[in-house]
Amino acid sequence: MERTFLAIKPDGVQRGLVGEIIRRFETKGFTLVGLKFLKPSRELAEAHYDVHRERPFFPGLVEFITSGPVVAMVWEGDGVIASARKIIGATNPLNAEPGTIRGDLGVNIGRNIIHGSDAPETAQNEVSLWFKEDELVVWQPDIMRWLHE
Ligand code: IDP
């Protein structure tokens, strides 16, 4: 079953959007299999955003991600990686469609509320960067037969 890594960034936590954001993935029909609340270390934040290391916004991004607690999550479901990206919306909240998390709740690219893995390989890498295998719960929600034919 496909898995993705999602993280509610410090702005989402500080603004009290944790429940609102989790609700969107729960009600869509995806399954939460991992959840932790932590203040990421610099090492973790730099590893997570390693592809952006040379970008001008990298230092500010690492500063921001390490500045407060984040909600790190693993969600499971058919097509969850691409679907979560759609639910999240475009990187710049001003370009994100209404109905998406960033489109409904944000106004600035440096404060775009949530991270979501962008492809199967990055999803796998990010899940294992943030979670140990035994922190992920294998379970089948009873509601599954009402979500899938
Ligand atoms: P994504 O989060 O939609 O996948 P990426 O292009 O992978 O977007 O960028 C990672 C994160 O880096 C963004 O979510 C945002 O927090 C930050 N970021 C990207 N571009 C900028 C920028 O131009 N200024 C400030 N922060 C940026």
Side-chain angles (χ1 to χ4, degrees):
M1 182 70 86
E2 191 172 302
R3 285 175 173 175
T4 196
F5 172 74
L6 304 180
I8 304 173
K9 299 180 183 182
D11 54 333
V13 174
Q14 294 284 355
R15 292 177 54 203
L17 298 175
V18 171
E20 160 76 25
I21 290 168
I22 289 179
R23 184 189 61 77
R24 293 185 182 216
F25 297 100
E26 260 188 326
T27 53
K28 171 71 176 167
F30 292 128
T31 306
L32 183 64
V33 297
L35 176 72
K36 58 169 91 165
F37 188 57
L38 73 161
K39 204 167 163 192
S41 65
R42 176 164 294 272
E43 189 188 2
L44 177 58
E46 287 183 355
H48 176 79
Y49 281 122
D50 192 53
V51 290
H52 297 304
R53 207 172 272 274
E54 304 307 325
R55 308 284 286 278
F57 58 81
F58 182 76
L61 179 58
V62 169
E63 209 58 49
F64 166 57
I65 292 297
T66 56
S67 71
V70 308
V71 177
M73 300 177 281
V74 179
W75 287 83
E76 195 172 83
D78 284 335
V80 69
I81 299 170
S83 179
R85 292 282 295 186
K86 282 191 194 153
I87 291 168
I88 289 169
T91 303
N92 186 339
L94 290 180
N95 300 330
E97 295 295 327
T100 64
I101 291 170
R102 289 168 174 168
D104 287 348
L105 305 172
V107 289
N108 184 271
I109 193 167
R111 297 289 182 269
N112 63 6
I113 309 163
I114 178 166
H115 167 84
S117 307
D118 62 3
E121 200 191 333
T122 41
Q124 222 170 28
N125 291 342
E126 290 170 2
V127 167
S128 53
L129 178 67
W130 289 77
F131 286 86
K132 298 186 192 119
E133 194 55 44
D134 67 4
E135 291 174 327
L136 301 176
V137 180
V138 177
W139 69 298
Q140 270 276 344
D142 292 335
I143 201 176
M144 257 330 165
R145 65 196 172 104
W146 303 108
L147 287 165
H148 294 271
E149 193 179 20

